[in-house]
Amino acid sequence: KNEVEQSPQNLTAQEEEFITINCSYSVGISALHWLQQHPGGGIVSLFMLSSGKKKHGRLIATINIQEKHSSLHITASHPRDSAVYICAVLDSNYQLIWGAGTKLIIKP
Amino acid sequence: DARVTQTPRHKVTEMGQEVTMRCQPILGHNTVFWYRQTMMQGLELLAYFRNRAPLDDSGMPKDRFSAEMPDATLATLKIQPSEPRDSAVYFCASGLIVDGGVSLTDTQYFGPGTRLTVL
């Protein structure tokens, strides 16, 4: 079993839909990252969480430490949001453990 | 496949010692970022370079930290003297910025990080 699991693996939605991507982990963590990987391969850091909730524009990230679960939400999705979204956790040994990613396609 | 490399991956040192971390950006990228991640502060931007020139190092403690790009294939981050509070994971990222100034939302390719422990 992977230490960081994301769901769904693939998601296709229509423009304006509310999107949720989930991340569950099984190790003790000091922080959790949500990152976005563009079709060209580059990775952008979206959020770093250790508790609670963060919001940036149309993106919202939440984390529940007790349940070892985090969600990334996108409101009013747009085709430019199409990308791979990656959950990565920094464990207590400061090792960065990457999830497999969720491939999101937003259709106009 | 092209990727950002960092060395060393792990470093344990004693307080007062000099620490040098190295980063090899992806060939052809013109911008290099140094980040530090700690439990307390999260992910902090320390400095970034474009075309080897420092654009912003305001996030870096100047008295002990220095960042350089001796050439286009190597970026270094030095701490002298190191202190226990410097213990963190240091990430290097590179990108190809083609328009005007640098936005932190521009695509950045992250290296695997250097885990530094200062005793």
Side-chain angles (χ1 to χ4, degrees):
Chain A
K1 189 180 189 308
N2 293 332
E3 293 169 309
V4 179
E5 295 209 340
Q6 290 185 233
S7 62
Q9 288 187 330
N10 295 281
L11 178 59
T12 300
Q14 291 297 130
E15 190 171 357
E16 291 293 322
E17 281 191 42
F18 181 81
I19 303 299
T20 296
I21 300 171
N22 296 298
C23 174
S24 295
Y25 52 92
S26 58
V27 296
I29 71 168
S30 56
L32 181 145
H33 283 282
W34 280 104
L35 306 114
Q36 179 191 54
Q37 185 168 25
H38 296 293
I43 295 174
V44 174
S45 176
L46 298 173
F47 296 104
M48 196 282 298
L49 295 165
S50 56
S51 64
K53 173 181 173 179
K54 287 190 176 179
K55 184 176 188 294
H56 185 260
R58 295 180 295 105
L59 301 176
I60 303 166
T62 63
I63 189 168
N64 185 317
I65 298 295
Q66 287 73 29
E67 295 184 3
K68 296 190 173 180
H69 181 269
S70 176
S71 294
L72 177 68
H73 305 285
I74 305 174
T75 61
S77 59
H78 189 277
R80 65 172 174 266
D81 297 326
S82 298
V84 175
Y85 291 84
I86 303 166
C87 170
V89 302
L90 193 68
D91 72 9
S92 52
N93 293 317
Y94 278 104
Q95 296 296 314
L96 198 62
I97 306 171
W98 302 81
T102 295
K103 184 176 181 180
L104 174 65
I105 298 173
I106 303 296
K107 294 185 175 181
Chain B
D1 58 330
R3 63 185 66 186
V4 175
T5 59
Q6 289 186 247
T7 56
R9 295 294 309 276
H10 304 274
K11 176 73 176 179
V12 180
T13 191
E14 292 187 344
M15 183 172 64
Q17 296 298 306
E18 177 178 302
V19 175
T20 299
M21 290 169 273
R22 294 177 174 80
C23 168
Q24 183 172 14
I26 293 174
L27 191 64
H29 282 185
N30 62 357
T31 308
V32 174
F33 303 82
W34 280 107
Y35 292 90
R36 174 172 65 180
Q37 184 172 43
T38 63
M39 290 179 63
M40 298 301 293
Q41 302 295 331
L43 193 66
E44 306 172 272
L45 177 64
L46 297 175
Y48 64 91
F49 293 76
R50 186 177 181 195
N51 295 325
R52 297 175 57 197
L55 285 190
D56 188 343
D57 59 2
S58 57
M60 199 165 65
K62 301 290 192 307
D63 56 338
R64 298 182 299 108
F65 284 63
S66 62
E68 296 178 346
M69 279 200 76
D71 60 60
T73 64
L74 177 64
T76 63
L77 180 67
K78 290 186 181 180
I79 309 174
Q80 170 61 27
S82 58
E83 297 180 3
R85 59 183 168 146
D86 301 329
S87 297
V89 180
Y90 291 81
F91 289 101
C92 170
S94 73
L96 180 62
I97 312 300
V98 295
D99 295 321
V102 176
S103 164
L104 293 181
T105 59
D106 288 330
T107 301
Q108 301 173 33
Y109 295 71
F110 280 74
T114 294
R115 179 160 64 100
L116 173 66
T117 303
V118 182
L119 303 175

